[in-house]
Amino acid sequence: MPAQPPPRPARSALLAALALSACDTHAPAPAKAVAPTPSPAAAGKPAEPEEDAPTAARTVKLELQAVATRRGPIALHRLGDGEMVTSGGLMLARGGADGNMVQETDWLGGLHPADPSEGWRVRAIGGRDDDLWLTVARDGDDPAHRVYRRRENTWAPHEPAPEVPGAYYVDYATWPEGHAIALRSDGAGGTALVVLDDEGARPARPRLEVAGLSEAPRPTRVAGLASGELFASVGAGPVDKEAQPGLQSGVLRWGPEDATGIFAPLPGLESRAPKEVAALVESGGQVLIGTGVEIDEEVVPYVARFDGTSWRVLDPPPARGSVVSLVETPEPAIFVVLDEDGPADSLWRIHAGGDWDMWERVELPPVQLTDSWFWDQAAGAWASEPAPPGGLTPSPRAIGHDAAGTLWLSAQLLLADGTASPHHAVLRSGAAATPLALYDDGQIHAAQQDLLPRRSPRVGDAGCPQVYVQLYTVSEDSPEVGAPELRSALTGPLGSLLLGEVRSQGERQVGLLLAADDYEAHKAAIAGVAGKLRYRSRASCGHPPLLRGWRASG
């Protein structure tokens, strides 16, 4: 294989003015229920609409190309400089100069080890230059958040509010003058806005106080505009609690010099107002919000535009479900992702040239996967998985666009019978030569361990349950793992050992990945093979990320 290029330099200059604009997709959506549901791409002639059911819409095809795949959810993040970045677990990836996606393996340095069983993921990212901020989250029975600040090419833990254990930054936006503004949660419902600049964190001028409301608003998302305006989607207590019990959803707006915001409650759709805002994005100096509203015991999509003074509610797409992501492209056209019942979600488009056009249902091209290796958490070992036959149908989960106008979409992939698979993909209007296989959670943990100083295995070392034996660095292209003479030598008593092509210490290498007990049992034989083939074998604790593997025993 061709020699691997040297590691990428630090990206402080490449991520200039980095801050998370209001992209509705900074956390991967949880996998949906695996229930048989017909794939929208494979659907035949639509049935006659029932009374009160949504009218059948025209279906259009959108030619997006797969640029990344992963065994596990993938999130999209739009940065303050307009760049789109993906994250899978804790791993960040971006588009390289050649248009292909590049995994930022070295950007795992400084982050706490992410055990594959805990499901840590990037929730939000923001900042500028070499002063970046990152929020990672763990869901499940024991939810938790961690915040990091990147200085001098490494991440360091940051405490958003030392006096409030469990506080974290929910969202980031660029405001003002290129700095990041963060929405801080204390973990118990209390929120505040803070500016993140060269000196660290300090209280922001905009205050979460609105005259006339019975209680402080509770923001969930923030969006900063180039004009200096700041918007936040909030739930707030109404003036008259008896007439309007519960929280009232809306948007807070601050002008460039305002300390107190103006609260604009969401208008109703068929006299029903949404209870919360699911997605908030900046669009041409205004903001778009997306969510769902319950009407006659059904969830109806809700899309509205706010210009800072007044609302405009769009007619909803002819479907049932809540808007979980949306974006407006330069054409102009609005795309929304609907979270419908079952594993299959849907993508809708409406052109916005003057009078509003009709919503169109968007059909996405199938995604073809290749054979892969992944970390089997239950077995505690690397396992192989053949590619599913035929292409898998994308079920959209998030959408966004970068400064160049390229459309990006994250999707879970559905099997031929309409059930959800564990695989996800990122599709883009700009193609890549080869889709990048993003690391799964097990590979990410392996990459974190591989960044640590190497140490030699010792008999009985409880902290060294796995051993990697490096044999050589890949320098020539090959359709198979390892040279033919190496594969021939790894037969008989060594046939059960896993020969792998890995990414380790910034290099693409070939070596053996095995348990510590197996290493001790076969240590002499492995050394004999290495000596016969003139390899400089080196054993170390841990398994680096496995790209592809081979066993003589199958």
Side-chain angles (χ1 to χ4, degrees), residues 212-345:
L213 295 180
S214 61
E215 58 186 73
R218 302 176 186 176
T220 56
R221 301 295 309 277
V222 290
L225 274 60
S227 61
E229 294 176 288
L230 182 68
F231 293 84
S233 58
V234 300
V239 177
D240 188 345
K241 282 191 173 183
E242 294 184 0
Q244 291 180 300
L247 292 179
Q248 185 175 8
S249 293
V251 167
L252 268 174
R253 174 197 173 274
W254 295 268
E257 303 298 328
D258 293 341
T260 302
I262 298 174
F263 177 65
L266 295 181
L269 180 66
E270 297 185 18
S271 302
R272 299 293 180 90
K275 297 180 180 179
E276 61 183 12
V277 174
L280 169 74
V281 296
E282 184 273 334
S283 179
Q286 301 181 4
V287 290
L288 287 172
I289 68 103
T291 185
V293 61
E294 187 172 337
I295 299 176
D296 297 331
E297 299 183 351
E298 288 188 311
V299 177
V300 176
Y302 184 100
V303 181
R305 182 188 296 277
F306 183 58
D307 63 8
T309 303
S310 60
W311 287 100
R312 181 180 184 181
V313 181
L314 279 64
D315 290 337
R320 293 295 178 260
S322 179
V323 175
V324 294
S325 181
L326 76 169
V327 70
E328 183 168 12
T329 56
E331 282 83 354
I334 295 175
F335 290 83
V336 301
V337 174
L338 294 190
D339 184 1
E340 300 194 49
D341 289 337
D345 293 334

Side-chain angles (χ1 to χ4, degrees), residues 63-122:
E63 292 302 323
L64 300 181
Q65 306 297 319
V67 295
T69 59
R70 182 177 187 262
R71 188 182 177 89
I74 308 175
L76 297 177
H77 312 267
R78 180 183 164 97
L79 307 180
D81 59 359
E83 181 184 11
M84 191 67 71
V85 173
T86 70
S87 66
L90 300 184
M91 181 72 75
L92 296 173
R94 66 179 187 91
D98 59 358
N100 294 320
M101 297 295 292
V102 181
Q103 295 193 87
E104 304 289 2
T105 308
D106 57 329
W107 280 50
L108 293 172
L111 302 181
H112 287 83
D115 188 283
S117 64
E118 295 182 341
W120 285 95
R121 58 180 173 81
V122 172

